[in-house]
Amino acid sequence: MRENKITRKIFTLLCVLTLIVGLSILNIPVCAEEIPQDRQLPRLVDDADLLTDSEEQELNTELDEISEKQQCDVVVVTENSLDGKSAQDYADDFFDYNGYGYGDDDSGVLFLIGMDERKWAITTYGYGITAFTDYGLEYMEDEFLSYLSDGEYMEAFSKYATLCDDLLTQARDGHPYDVDSDDDKPDVFTMIFWGVVDLLIGFVVAFIMAQVKKSKLKSVKNQVAANAYKKQGSMKVTTKEDRYINSIVTKRLIPRDDEDHGHSGGGGSTTHVSSSGRSHGGRSGGF
């Protein structure tokens, strides 16, 4: 009898423990967009089908080589629709929720093209925020934007990949491309100085050549009156009159793309928080 009571107690205790564990499992929140630990997709995702098969293979190989060399994921994504999101938000989420990012700090840079509204965006994370400053992203835009506008997508993506490699290399050397990276260019004083020197050299050369030619004109003498240089009957002057009536000026306002998150005012990288709660750098615009 005593053994039966002990058995029933043990059984009851097991049932309670099972119930508690079950309820705990049911209460664990499951996020549909959980950030994976490993990369789920290749570094080139051409869902908009902008590239040929051979171009996709070539570009994907290039992106893989640069990513492994720089230890930073370099990604290109094309989409027909951004599902109502801004290009920057879509790029941030695509990076986060598909497991992109190299190393412990998930370093990476992703270039997104949305064909529905002809928008583009670059998002950076981890060491990518350090390597790709606002000034660097603006420089990259200047380099690839014309290719996008002309529909030369392979050229645009190749230019992007090359620039990523260059800027990452410069950052690894301790000098991220930033507002002070143009120190190797001549300053205003230097440009003015050499401009004046060039003018003086040109003036001296012209003066010497004029004197040489002048010394060869032995038969020519200065004349006081202009009639000495005029051949009789060779010139006939007629009267011509121009009247100013009016002028037409047409002005057109060029709209500014408000979606651009980058700026060129100061150094470093501006960051924003994505839907995952992670801080990203980036820049976006239209083409």
Side-chain angles (χ1 to χ4, degrees):
M1 188 72 176
R2 183 178 179 183
E3 292 180 356
N4 290 336
K5 289 182 179 180
I6 294 174
T7 302
R8 284 198 298 269
K9 287 182 179 180
I10 293 174
F11 179 76
T12 303
L13 180 60
L14 290 175
C15 290
V16 172
L17 290 175
T18 302
L19 180 61
I20 293 173
V21 172
L23 291 175
S24 299
I25 294 175
L26 291 176
N27 287 331
I28 294 176
V30 178
C31 179
E33 293 183 318
E34 182 179 356
I35 300 176
Q37 296 296 322
D38 300 318
R39 181 163 56 90
Q40 307 295 305
L41 297 172
R43 293 185 173 103
L44 170 62
V45 180
D46 185 24
D47 286 342
D49 200 22
L50 302 180
L51 305 175
T52 65
D53 292 342
S54 60
E55 288 175 337
E56 285 186 14
Q57 183 176 1
E58 177 185 348
L59 181 59
N60 198 48
T61 299
E62 183 179 8
L63 295 175
D64 285 342
E65 290 177 351
I66 295 173
S67 298
E68 296 300 326
K69 168 188 172 184
Q70 300 290 353
Q71 298 184 359
C72 178
D73 271 346
V74 179
V75 185
V76 172
V77 177
T78 72
E79 297 286 1
N80 285 314
S81 173
L82 300 183
D83 300 330
K85 296 182 180 180
S86 69
Q88 190 66 67
D89 289 343
Y90 195 99
D92 295 341
D93 290 346
F94 201 97
F95 184 94
D96 290 341
Y97 298 124
N98 287 292
Y100 288 107
Y102 199 106
D104 295 335
D105 59 350
D106 292 336
S107 297
V109 53
L110 184 147
F111 185 21
L112 168 74
I113 299 296
M115 296 303 295
D116 51 352
E117 297 182 2
R118 296 184 65 81
K119 297 292 186 180
W120 65 269
I122 293 178
T123 184
T124 60
Y125 189 77
Y127 188 73
I129 297 177
T130 301
F132 301 98
T133 63
D134 293 343
Y135 192 72
L137 292 175
E138 183 178 355
Y139 167 69
M140 292 176 69
E141 176 186 355
D142 292 339
E143 293 294 311
F144 65 66
L145 188 59
S146 61
Y147 292 115
L148 287 183
S149 300
D150 295 339
E152 300 176 359
Y153 300 111
M154 182 59 182
E155 288 75 7
F157 299 148
S158 294
K159 174 63 71 173
Y160 156 80
T162 300
L163 291 172
C164 285
D165 192 17
D166 293 343
L167 267 61
L168 281 165
T169 297
Q170 184 168 336
R172 297 291 185 191
D173 291 338
H175 304 285
Y177 187 83
D178 212 335
V179 292
D180 57 353
S181 297
D182 295 330
D183 290 343
D184 55 338
K185 296 181 180 179
D187 56 22
V188 175
F189 175 79
T190 304
M191 294 175 65
I192 294 176
F193 173 77
W194 286 111
V196 172
V197 170
D198 290 340
L199 288 175
L200 290 176
I201 292 175
F203 175 79
V204 171
V205 172
F207 178 79
I208 293 174
M209 292 179 64
Q211 293 301 315
V212 171
K213 291 184 177 181
K214 180 180 177 181
S215 64
K216 296 179 180 179
L217 299 177
K218 303 296 183 180
S219 61
V220 179
K221 297 181 179 180
N222 291 332
Q223 300 293 330
V224 178
N227 291 333
Y229 298 98
K230 184 180 71 173
K231 184 178 180 180
Q232 296 296 327
S234 63
M235 184 173 64
K236 183 178 181 182
V237 180
T238 59
T239 302
K240 182 178 180 181
E241 182 180 358
D242 293 329
R243 292 186 178 182
Y244 176 80
I245 299 177
N246 63 354
S247 63
I248 299 176
V249 178
T250 302
K251 296 183 178 180
R252 180 171 64 90
L253 178 64
I254 300 177
R256 182 181 180 88
D257 191 347
D258 294 332
E259 188 184 356
D260 189 351
H261 292 277
H263 69 84
S264 58
S269 299
T270 302
T271 59
H272 57 274
V273 179
S274 67
S275 66
S276 69
R278 306 206 295 181
S279 294
H280 286 259
R283 184 177 180 87
S284 60
F287 63 96

